[in-house]
Amino acid sequence: MPEIVLHYIWERCLWAGFEQRTTDGRSVEILSVGEHNRDAGPDYSHARVIIDGKEWVGNIEIHVCSSDWVKHHHHLDKAYDTVILHVVRTADKPVYNSRGELIPQCELQYPSEKDYLSGLFESAQKMDSAIGRIGCAEQLIHEPELITEGWRKTLLHKRLECKRASIERLLEITKGSWEHALYISLARNFGFHTNSLPFEQLAINTPLSYLQKHRNSLFQLTALLMGQANLIQEENLQKEYDFLRTKFSLTPMDKSVWKHSKMRPQNSPELRIRQFAQLLYQSENLLSKILYTDDLKELRTLFTVDKMGSSSIDILLINTVIPYKYAYAVHRSMESDSKYADQIMALMELIPAENNTIVRQWRVLGQVIHNAADTQALLHLYQNYCQHHECINCEVGYKIFQDKQLKLF
């Protein structure tokens, strides 16, 4: 079996309905298959699985045989130390990361009929066609109005609720500190997807209280963050970090977790960390300013730092600022969250549409996209319905299904 077929089975959740276990007998529940990584490193990032009752968030690597792990030298590559589950067809040997730690493995269970697998192989060869991942693509090309304005508003509301749930989980970790939770969320989003997990780990490994002790010195903030990221190249910064590291008993990250390949200079982790340090330096009482400012121009000004483009600022507003405003408003009120959703939607409508591969494929299918409210709704539709084949729970899929049923009678 080609490995691409296993990828297809994994992404399309064709394992659903089959009991999954690790090779040592522990139960495996797959909450999210993650996001396909087309750069160097593990196959899928941001996956969520529960192994024997404990939830893990991290990377997934897929091989036909366990021994491919060693053949590809992953046991020597620190970038694969973040793998939480090795998914295989045949587990022919145990595998270990570069630290010598045993990696949990799962022989993926799925329909195994020969004809079925042959069909999968043909479908898998077409996986790189993004439009092919949207089941109703053919109908939408001819009837783009199937995605109604009402459904878009519902999708945006659902996306805000998902982000609010993530913020609530983070508040549990930070013992109810909105400021600390915001710090971790901002750090994650400064990674701009490619380096989001390393950035989040940087924030967790560098307590906000330590940074606040030196918030009046941009040099020391930069030294702390760059040093903790293990990305310092300047001698003066290294000397300052060595002092601060001793002062706070800090341990730097493994630098191999940072991704640099196929990356523009303005997106490099080194530059993003310096920008993050500048934001912390210039933004006293950032949380209160975010929560109590509704003027988009003023919000953008808060995130204006050296070499940070307007589109990057808007991404931070979309993914961090606006969800926090929404979550905090709902948290402070016992009333329905619908009125806050309407307020946030109005703010989203003032932000230009995002430009990424998913958004572009919706445009190919005839969707008119005006602003960030539209893109966030369509991103949620793709990531939570199309990718997981939840067509029957989608307004569009359900309507198509009803139409087909009516034609049968």
Side-chain angles (χ1 to χ4, degrees):
M1 173 192 290
E3 187 176 298
I4 189 175
V5 176
L6 274 180
H7 283 257
Y8 186 87
I9 292 169
W10 176 258
E11 283 193 25
R12 297 269 179 155
C13 305
L14 301 181
W15 39 260
F18 289 79
E19 183 182 42
Q20 309 295 336
R21 289 191 172 274
T22 60
T23 51
D24 57 3
R26 291 176 290 166
S27 63
V28 175
E29 182 181 354
I30 304 164
L31 302 180
S32 171
V33 298
E35 300 168 8
H36 194 183
N37 173 34
R38 299 186 183 277
D39 294 321
D43 293 321
Y44 295 87
S45 59
H46 314 309
R48 292 174 58 224
V49 300
I50 296 178
I51 301 176
D52 201 23
K54 183 178 180 180
E55 183 173 342
W56 295 83
V57 179
N59 298 328
I60 301 290
E61 181 68 10
I62 294 179
H63 286 123
V64 175
C65 298
S66 299
S67 51
D68 292 337
W69 178 277
V70 177
K71 287 180 183 178
H72 299 163
H73 306 292
H74 298 335
H75 64 301
L76 304 176
D77 191 340
K78 293 180 179 179
Y80 288 81
D81 289 353
T82 55
V83 170
I84 58 174
L85 186 66
H86 189 210
V87 176
V88 297
R89 184 186 186 193
T90 303
D92 55 353
K93 67 180 299 181
V95 298
Y96 301 84
N97 63 25
S98 70
R99 298 194 293 260
E101 299 166 339
L102 185 68
I103 303 293
Q105 297 193 91
C106 173
E107 288 188 330
L108 196 64
Q109 302 300 307
Y110 51 85
S112 56
E113 293 83 0
K114 184 177 179 180
D115 291 342
Y116 180 79
L117 291 177
S118 297
L120 283 187
F121 178 64
E122 293 178 5
S123 299
Q125 290 180 312
K126 302 175 182 178
M127 275 186 66
D128 286 336
S129 172
I131 293 177
R133 299 183 186 183
I134 296 178
C136 58
E138 185 176 345
Q139 290 93 336
L140 283 174
I141 288 175
H142 298 290
E143 298 180 79
E145 66 276 5
L146 282 170
I147 300 181
T148 65
E149 286 301 312
W151 182 225
R152 286 196 190 193
K153 288 184 178 180
T154 299
L155 289 166
L156 179 55
H157 192 181
K158 287 177 179 289
R159 190 162 184 84
L160 288 170
E161 276 297 299
C162 286
K163 293 188 176 185
R164 183 174 73 87
S166 296
I167 292 169
E168 292 291 345
R169 287 193 293 270
L170 198 52
L171 285 169
E172 292 178 9
I173 297 172
T174 60
K175 299 180 180 179
S177 172
W178 284 85
E179 187 175 25
H180 198 177
L182 175 65
Y183 160 65
I184 295 174
S185 294
L186 270 175
R188 181 183 178 88
N189 287 316
F190 255 81
F192 289 90
H193 182 69
T194 303
N195 280 303
S196 58
L197 280 180
F199 243 107
E200 183 178 61
Q201 192 60 51
L202 173 62
I204 293 171
N205 290 354
T206 314
L208 178 61
S209 58
Y210 295 172
L211 292 166
Q212 289 174 329
K213 291 179 185 296
H214 297 278
R215 69 163 311 277
N216 292 322
S217 170
L218 178 58
F219 177 71
Q220 288 181 312
L221 290 175
T222 304
L224 259 176
L225 291 169
M226 289 290 288
Q228 283 293 90
N230 209 347
L231 294 175
I232 291 181
Q233 295 180 345
E234 300 92 332
E235 185 177 346
N236 60 340
L237 273 181
Q238 185 64 55
K239 184 177 180 180
E240 184 63 27
Y241 173 65
D242 290 340
F243 164 74
L244 295 169
R245 176 183 178 182
T246 302
K247 176 181 178 180
F248 295 120
S249 300
L250 294 170
T251 301
M253 297 169 59
D254 186 330
K255 67 187 301 181
S256 67
V257 301
W258 298 99
K259 295 180 181 179
H260 291 82
S261 69
K262 301 179 182 179
M263 186 173 292
R264 297 176 181 177
Q266 63 266 34
N267 293 325
S268 71
E270 290 84 356
L271 177 59
R272 293 303 190 193
I273 291 170
R274 289 179 180 274
Q275 291 172 332
F276 188 52
Q278 186 180 347
L279 175 66
L280 297 176
Y281 171 70
Q282 70 185 32
S283 304
E284 189 173 7
N285 300 320
L286 181 61
L287 176 64
S288 62
K289 290 177 181 177
I290 285 174
L291 295 179
Y292 299 109
T293 300
D294 293 321
D295 183 83
L296 185 60
K297 184 177 180 180
E298 290 182 25
L299 288 171
R300 284 189 174 126
T301 300
L302 293 175
F303 292 87
T304 301
V305 297
D306 291 342
K307 299 180 182 179
M308 178 75 80
S310 59
S311 60
S312 294
I313 293 174
D314 284 345
I315 289 173
L316 291 174
L317 296 182
I318 292 167
N319 292 322
T320 308
V321 174
I322 291 178
Y324 263 82
K325 290 175 70 66
Y326 172 74
Y328 189 75
V330 174
H331 178 81
R332 291 291 301 271
S333 175
M334 298 300 292
E335 299 177 22
S336 168
D337 58 11
S338 60
K339 69 173 184 179
Y340 302 120
D342 290 341
Q343 293 171 3
I344 294 304
M345 287 178 193
L347 192 55
M348 282 279 199
E349 289 170 359
L350 299 176
I351 300 175
E354 300 157 88
N355 181 22
N356 53 50
T357 55
I358 297 174
V359 170
R360 288 194 290 272
Q361 91 180 56
W362 283 119
R363 291 188 189 275
V364 170
L365 295 179
Q367 292 303 302
V368 178
I369 300 171
H370 300 286
N371 48 51
D374 290 330
T375 55
Q376 284 291 290
L378 293 172
L379 284 169
H380 190 82
L381 176 58
Y382 180 81
Q383 294 168 350
N384 294 275
Y385 292 84
C386 304
Q387 280 194 313
H388 300 289
H389 305 282
E390 291 286 334
C391 302
I392 198 64
N393 294 318
C394 168
E395 181 182 282
V396 178
Y398 186 68
K399 186 177 187 304
I400 292 172
F401 174 76
Q402 283 186 315
D403 289 345
K404 287 183 177 179
Q405 289 294 101
L406 289 172
K407 289 176 183 179
L408 292 176
F409 296 98

